[in-house]
């Protein structure tokens, strides 16, 4: 382990590997006193302009729970560490601004392409969402879908036309290696998982 100096406004914590991801996330959220929050993994980065503009938008539009912009990937070429390039993600990033929670839910669920994990949130909304995720899911599939849908239940989503976030694309990442819903059906665990998911949304 390398020792390094941490700025006064940053806390560095090491968690046991057995601790649930949402437990770690909520432990971090408990330390946050600012009205807005964003999550960024250690191999990704958020642009300063993207963060500032998202906060400004949320500050002026209280009926929105979340704001973000365009996402770019920077794939790693295993054959050459010198190769690097940007690739805009092809997901159809868009705003969801229906006045009703049901309308926003349907707008997201019927065209589920956009995750909101790395977006800028109202801190209190993010705490509610991930508390519910911890209590009502036990895997990374429903554990991703539930927070996204709860985000839209709590408020509108704004997509800003700007470079917001860059993330490393790697085929060994969790999103490429996780089980899919069909695996849950085969294992006989889908019904119980879905029931918890559905009840939480209701």
């Amino acid at each position: 382990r390398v020792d390094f100096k941490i700025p006064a406004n940053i806390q560095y914590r090491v968690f046991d590997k057995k601790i649930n991801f949402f437990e770690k996330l909520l432990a971090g959220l408990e330390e946050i006193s600012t009205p807005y929050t964003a999550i960024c993994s250690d191999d990704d980065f958020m642009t300063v302009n993207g963060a500032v503009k998202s906060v400004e938008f949320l500050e002026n539009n209280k009926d929105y729970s979340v704001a973000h912009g365009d996402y770019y990937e920077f794939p790693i070429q295993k054959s050459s560490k010198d190769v690097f390039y940007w690739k805009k993600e092809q997901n159809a990033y868009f705003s969801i601004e229906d006045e009703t929670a049901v309308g926003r839910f349907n707008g997201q669920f019927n065209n589920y392409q956009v995750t909101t994990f790395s977006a800028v949130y109202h801190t209190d909304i993010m705490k509610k969402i991930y508390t519910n995720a911890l209590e009502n899911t036990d895997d990374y599939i429903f554990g991703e879908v539930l927070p996204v849908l709860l985000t839209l239940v709590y408020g509108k989503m704004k997509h800003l036309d700007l470079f917001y976030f860059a993330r490393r694309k790697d085929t060994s990442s969790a999103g490429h290696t996780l089980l899919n819903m069909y695996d849950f059906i085969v294992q006989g665990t889908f019904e119980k998982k879905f029931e918890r998911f559905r009840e939480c949304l209701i």
Side-chain angles (χ1 to χ4, degrees):
R1 178 174 169 181
V2 178
D3 291 326
F4 55 91
K5 186 175 181 181
I6 301 174
N9 62 340
I10 293 178
Q11 293 185 29
Y12 177 74
R13 294 189 178 187
V14 178
F15 289 91
D16 189 301
K17 292 181 180 180
K18 296 179 181 178
I19 293 177
N20 182 289
F21 170 74
F22 293 130
E23 289 183 90
K24 290 187 281 188
L25 184 58
L26 286 166
L29 285 171
E30 286 304 312
E31 301 297 324
I32 296 194
S33 58
T34 55
Y36 303 102
T37 303
I39 299 169
C40 186
S41 301
D42 60 0
D43 55 354
D44 303 333
F45 74 85
M46 180 187 302
T47 66
V48 173
N49 183 58
V52 169
K53 295 298 184 184
S54 295
V55 167
E56 288 177 351
F57 181 86
L58 292 176
E59 186 70 18
N60 294 314
N61 298 273
K62 300 298 185 182
D63 52 340
Y64 286 73
S65 61
V66 68
H68 58 173
D70 293 335
Y71 292 76
Y72 286 78
E73 301 171 354
F74 49 101
I76 304 300
Q77 296 273 343
K78 294 190 180 299
S79 59
S80 172
K81 292 187 178 181
D82 296 327
V83 176
F84 178 88
Y85 60 91
W86 294 113
K87 179 182 178 184
K88 187 174 182 178
E89 291 191 4
Q90 296 304 306
N91 289 350
Y93 285 96
F94 47 85
S95 298
I96 298 179
E97 300 171 297
D98 196 281
E99 293 298 329
T100 68
V102 171
R104 294 190 299 271
F105 174 93
N106 289 335
Q108 177 66 294
F109 195 71
N110 292 335
N111 188 24
Y112 188 86
Q113 300 182 56
V114 183
T115 62
T116 57
F117 180 76
S118 302
V120 175
Y121 277 78
H122 291 279
T123 302
D124 59 338
I125 291 177
M126 182 181 274
K127 288 179 179 179
K128 291 176 185 177
I129 287 169
Y130 285 104
T131 297
N132 278 312
L134 177 62
E135 294 173 350
N136 294 283
T137 61
D138 57 11
D139 64 83
Y140 276 99
I141 299 179
F142 281 110
E144 174 191 292
V145 177
L146 182 60
V148 173
L149 295 176
L150 287 174
T151 298
L152 275 300
V153 169
Y154 280 116
K156 302 174 185 178
M157 177 177 73
K158 185 66 175 180
H159 171 262
L160 302 171
D161 186 20
L162 48 77
F163 181 5
Y164 173 75
F165 202 86
R167 46 192 172 198
R168 178 180 174 182
K169 192 72 171 179
D170 188 339
T171 55
S172 65
S173 66
H176 290 274
T177 59
L178 292 173
L179 297 171
N180 58 40
M181 294 290 184
Y182 178 75
D183 295 311
F184 291 155
I185 295 171
V186 171
Q187 294 169 355
T189 60
F190 177 83
E191 187 173 348
K192 183 176 180 181
K193 289 176 180 291
F194 178 73
E195 182 65 19
R196 294 172 66 192
F197 170 81
R198 185 176 72 88
E199 289 300 315
C200 178
L201 286 171
I202 290 172

